[in-house]
Amino acid sequence: MLDTPEAVMEALRGNHDRPHGLQRTVTAEELVEAAGQFEKPDVLVTALLELMSAYETTGECRKSPVVFGRLLKLWDESPEAFSEWEAHQVYWRFKWVATSLLDVPEVPLASVRGWIDEMRRRYEKAGHGMQPVAAMRYHVAAHTGTRVADAYDLWVTRPRTELSDCEACETRHLAEYRLDGGDDAGALDTLRPVLDGAVGCDEEPQMSQALALGALLRSGRLDEARSHHLTGYRRIRGNTGMQAWVGRHLEFCVLSRNEGRGLEILAENRPLFEATGAPLAHLDFLTGVELLLARIAEDGHADTVVAGPPGRSWTADALLAHVRAEADRLTAAFDARNGTTAVGDRRRRRLAQRPLLDAPLPLGLRTSVARTADGAAPVPAPPAGASAAVAIPGDFVELVREARRMASAGHPGDTRLWTRIAERLTDGSAVHDGVLGPEDLLRAELAEQRAGELAMADRDDEACAELRRAAELYERVGMPWQALSARARALGWMNPPSDGEGEPAEGVLRLDSDGIRDALDGLLGEAERLCAGVPFTAEALGAAEAAACDDLERERKLAYLTVYYARAYAAYRELGRGGREPSPGAVERFEACVQALHGEAERLSVPHQVANARQFAADAAGRLGDLARAEEGLRAALKDLEAAGRPWRASRPRVLLAQILMARERPQEAVELLHRAIADAVRYDDADFPMAPTYAMLGHAASHTGDHAGAVRHLAEAAARFDQSGEPVEAADARLQLVDVLMRTGRQADAVAVLESLVADETAAALDARMVAQARLSLARGLRELEEYLPSAEEFLRLADAVSDWEDDAPVQTMVTAETAVALALADRWDAAGTAYERALAAHAKAPDPSVLTHMMCEFARLVMKARGAEGLETALRHLAEADALTASVPQDTEGFVPWFERGAVHYRRGRVLADAERFEEALAEMEAAVAAHEQGGEEGESARAEAVRVAALIEGNALGRFRESIARLTTASARCRRSGLPEAAQILDALRQDHMSRLTEGR
């Protein structure tokens, strides 16, 4: 019941603690009405200020001036009803009202200027400086585009006052002036203290982060742009008072070629379409939407379903028309009111922007794929990296000849050509020409190409079937060597039946390992007979061979060596199936087959096959732990490829060598190799090169060199590429590695943004439950680090529910339940926290984890005192008594439990709790007990011991006035820290010692 002033004030305090939004605003309106019934204007003043804050935060510019008008009337009639803070707010909020009036096109400029004149008059009467008035006049000039430079000079040359905008917001306005003048570098330099966190407020740095995005992209500062998008957008999503800045993030998505991300942002902010209370901010939002939709339509995806105003479904083109009409109307209204084209000009400049990058900037986020209106094929994402694609001849005969030439040279660029050949034959835009040889020859070549694609997709049975089909076609056209090569590869790629496997599918040929070996040995005998019957010469050239081969002798050598290669590959796969301890027979067969390939390749002077033999041997050596031999073999293989004139084949051995070097703790060399491998794969258009795993490896290697910015770039790129290739588990793993790098380098907000996309329902559904649980745990902890306690608690609750039935991993339940209890306490949800606390005790009884429970009990003691002060002392001490009992009950040598550390932690917390309750003698005794406990840990306990000494000295000196004793304690402890290699701890103790010495001197 709101029938007393006290009840209304209590309700106002409760409403003030709510997050900004519709519920808080509606309640504030109700409380103003309730406050108006009393003859106590002070209650109404508080209620009006609360309502005005609600309107300002949720973007209700139209309503704010009316509320301030009532407030100003009360100020004139009953200034004694205003507290000192409330009186200051009257002058402060003049600026809010001026801005609100400017942002509504129906308000004439004369009214806006008249209000600023009233502001000036009242500031002068109260003796306030004029800088805020000059700032408001500048904002009008900047908005209308009239005499901007003069107004700017009058503003920035005046000294700041206590009523000036906060330093962070004023910095943003200064940067906007530079941006409007085209000075990206100057604007970013101006914004640096805000973006670096040196200054800030409730609205900053998120506004400045959005403002900086375009300039950062234009300046090539892509890592910063990525980070500010990730962290800045999280702070503003769904906030109607921030809709202008949501529009800037949509703009960023277009400029960075992340249109899919833009569509997700649109879906997350659907209510903003109806947030029309701040027309200028709404126009800024609509302009970002229009830019995004126009880009999507221009790319040919006008029928894509997108999120628009509630109440109907929208396609990109329909929403674009709707948004454009509304934005046109608002623009015309502002320009008509202003008598200038400034608002329209700004909008047109934004809409004229084009993407600034050649490929999407990897953000590290999982972006769902939009679908067309009829549910057909997904909107394709542009490639994650630029490609030096080979030229594709338009003439079909030239196309086939070029594909054959490149295939003969082993050039990976032939893949695109064969794909184009297949497409043209399928769509009827080309027919076979007799000058290309028999039609069955081309069919055989295309079957080989399909086999390669199927093998890359791990569809080995289908790949083998295509190779057998190719062999039959080669036999039909009189090309026995090519048929032999195809059959050999089919056997080399064949998977023997696994234990317990049923009959293979119809048409699938399966042989066991012995059968594969025997068949390959038979093909080797056939190859030897072919050599004896038709030596490696250019005589007796068949028609098909003449069409397909420029150098018959070379092609027959390559086919002959393919049989040796297939034998080595089959032996290599058999060796791999044996794990780290393969059977002696498998090792012997592998070595024999590799040596045979090596010997024959050297005899016939085919160095790239020598390189293949070396790679097999090196890979096997690496798997068996002989890293030095593996490195030597791979370096030799790279020299062979150089001698062979096939540089495009060097990327894969470079990746293998990088793996070996990482294992040998030489990450810098690995980074250089991986960069070159990727560069060559792009240079030679190797479409089958494993780009995503290589980028993931490069990110891992870069993190080991200390190049954390590079690691973030490469891991984000890897995740994007895994997404594109439909490998969600691998993409999630890359993102978890990315999160690890971000968190280790103090970028928790970036990490949280990545984790939120990782645990989203659509993504999580494709992942292993334990991987999702790990991501959710990291997210919950990350949110806690950001002091977003309620979202953190919600994530912990979801995690607790997910692991509740993990009977095979009960200790995880103990850990999660304990952390959930602490998270709920941090979020001030004490009833739920108490329930979780009891559940953690029950979980511990089933699956003990004493360290986690001790930490939970100490944290509850700390948080109870923080929430209740001295009234919570009894409860806090009870939690610590439980911690004492728990640590005493843990058996000696319990794995993962360090008794001295846990005892020291409990004593330390009890000392802090008692000090908070001003029971200083007892607090000092507890701190000394903590010092003694940590001393038992030797070197490992020195850091915690130093902290306990610091707090003991604070109690001893500041609370008990025993400065001489505290100085002596600190002197001894500082020297000990230096001896223990803890210079920073020593500096902290020295600073406190110096403070106590100064205070002792002053006391004399």
Side-chain angles (χ1 to χ4, degrees), residues 328-387:
D328 283 345
R329 183 189 67 78
L330 284 172
T331 302
F334 276 111
D335 283 348
R337 189 272 304 269
N338 298 337
T340 68
T341 61
V343 172
D345 291 342
R346 279 193 290 273
R347 175 174 169 237
R348 284 183 285 274
R349 282 196 297 272
R350 286 181 66 188
L351 293 176
Q353 295 178 105
R354 308 292 297 171
L356 297 171
L357 307 178
D358 293 331
L361 174 65
L363 301 176
L365 304 176
R366 174 70 175 96
T367 301
S368 59
V369 181
R371 301 192 71 85
T372 55
D374 59 2
V379 175
S387 174

Side-chain angles (χ1 to χ4, degrees), residues 48-61:
L48 288 169
L49 286 168
E50 173 65 25
L51 178 58
M52 192 175 180
S53 294
Y55 284 152
E56 185 73 16
T57 307
T58 54
E60 292 286 351
C61 292

